[in-house]
């Protein structure tokens, strides 16, 4: 099967600002009539947070629905987390998403990156990593409007282990001191470059 475009990933620890950055990037591309960068809407079984919209932030489904999709081999990178409340939250990416977006950007973690590279080929998945120092992560956690403080702490602690090998997988590093505008401009430039490389007649991208 031939992949017609690269898959882009934006990874970052909890509260690194990756979602805010991706939304800003999408708005910038829209306003400048640039190529259509789009967030890949992934699947989760966790409850919606305040302000989230089904089909825009995530596809919110039940654990039973998720398990059925996994059994039918319809999900890439299935993950599950045992959270502080005792619940199990599951995440995944529905297969076939690469055909639904002009320039797809997936927000995921290191294991998700590995699974995407296995699915599409290592050189077809381009990874941006947004840094955040622990002190800033904790500061943002204190200000976040979320009911379960224990769950926020669990995610911050889990990030230290989950992202310890990100340097082996990231193609581009976004410094924590850069502005949204600088990060977005850098990403646009590198996305253009990677698409040009992908379409080069000297590279074959078959999976």
């Amino acid at each position: 099967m031939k992949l017609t475009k690269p898959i882009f990933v934006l990874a970052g620890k909890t509260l690194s600002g990756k979602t805010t950055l991706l939304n800003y990037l999408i708005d910038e591309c829209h306003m400048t009539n640039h190529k259509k960068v789009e967030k890949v809407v992934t699947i989760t079984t966790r409850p919606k947070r305040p302000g989230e919209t089904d089909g825009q932030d995530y596809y919110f489904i039940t654990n039973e629905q998720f398990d059925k999709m996994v059994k039918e081999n319809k999900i890439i990178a299935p993950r599950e987390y045992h959270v502080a409340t005792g619940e199990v939250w599951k995440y995944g990416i529905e297969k076939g998403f690469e055909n639904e977006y002009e320039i797809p950007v997936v927000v995921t973690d290191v294991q998700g990156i590995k699974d995407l590279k296995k699915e599409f080929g290592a050189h077809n998945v381009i990874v941006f990593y947004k840094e955040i120092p622990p002190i800033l992560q904790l500061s943002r956690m204190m200000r976040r409007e979320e009911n379960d403080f224990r769950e926020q702490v669990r995610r911050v602690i889990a990030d230290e282990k989950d992202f310890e090998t990100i340097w082996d997988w990231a193609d581009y590093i976004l410094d924590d001191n850069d502005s949204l505008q600088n990060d977005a401009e850098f990403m646009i430039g590198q996305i253009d470059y990677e698409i040009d490389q992908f379409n080069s007649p000297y590279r074959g991208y078959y999976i």
Side-chain angles (χ1 to χ4, degrees):
M1 178 178 64
K2 185 176 182 183
L3 193 63
T4 61
K5 56 204 165 194
I7 306 297
F8 295 96
V9 170
L10 178 56
K13 295 178 180 178
T14 299
L15 302 172
S16 61
K18 56 187 180 295
T19 301
T20 301
L21 171 57
L22 181 52
N23 290 336
Y24 184 91
L25 173 67
I26 290 169
D27 288 343
E28 283 292 294
C29 289
H30 176 73
M31 287 188 294
T32 58
N33 293 317
H34 200 79
K35 295 182 178 71
K36 191 176 181 182
V37 173
E38 298 178 278
K39 173 190 173 182
V40 174
V41 181
T42 55
I43 296 168
T44 186
T45 68
R46 73 158 171 76
K48 281 192 290 187
R49 294 173 184 153
E52 288 185 326
T53 302
D54 187 28
Q56 179 177 323
D57 297 288
Y58 287 94
Y59 293 113
F60 294 94
I61 64 175
T62 66
N63 279 330
E64 291 74 21
Q65 290 172 314
F66 189 97
D67 292 343
K68 183 174 184 291
M69 292 181 71
V70 170
K71 186 176 181 180
E72 294 172 350
N73 195 30
K74 293 181 178 179
I75 288 186
I76 303 169
R79 302 293 306 282
E80 67 176 49
Y81 299 92
H82 295 262
V83 301
T85 61
E87 297 175 283
V88 176
W89 294 352
K90 301 182 181 185
Y91 294 81
I93 308 163
E94 189 169 9
K95 286 193 174 183
F97 76 87
E98 68 277 10
N99 300 316
E100 299 177 10
Y101 301 91
E102 185 172 326
I103 301 177
V105 180
V106 182
V107 176
T108 189
D109 59 11
V110 174
Q111 186 58 51
I113 291 168
K114 294 177 183 178
D115 290 342
L116 285 166
K117 285 180 175 289
K118 182 179 179 180
E119 180 77 15
F120 296 108
H123 293 92
N124 297 334
V125 179
I126 310 300
V127 180
F128 294 88
Y129 173 59
K130 177 62 179 173
E131 288 191 288
I132 183 172
I135 189 67
L136 179 57
Q137 194 179 25
L138 291 170
S139 174
R140 288 179 178 174
M141 181 180 69
M142 298 296 292
R143 299 196 304 267
R144 188 170 194 173
E145 294 182 5
E146 190 168 325
N147 293 330
D148 198 330
F149 183 76
R150 293 175 305 161
E151 175 54 22
Q152 293 187 67
V153 172
R154 184 202 67 79
R155 290 201 301 269
V156 170
I157 294 172
D159 277 346
E160 292 305 308
K161 178 173 178 59
D162 292 345
F163 282 86
E164 62 184 1
T165 62
I166 185 62
W167 310 107
D168 297 330
W169 301 97
D171 298 285
Y172 301 105
I173 308 298
L174 303 170
D175 191 275
D176 62 283
N177 293 318
D178 278 340
S179 66
L180 280 174
Q181 182 177 354
N182 286 345
D183 280 342
E185 288 178 354
F186 176 78
M187 287 186 70
I188 289 170
Q190 299 314 124
I191 285 171
D192 284 346
Y193 169 77
E194 294 292 347
I195 290 173
D196 286 344
Q197 291 296 302
F198 185 93
N199 292 323
S200 168
Y202 302 107
R203 295 184 75 181
Y205 280 82
Y206 291 86
I207 59 173

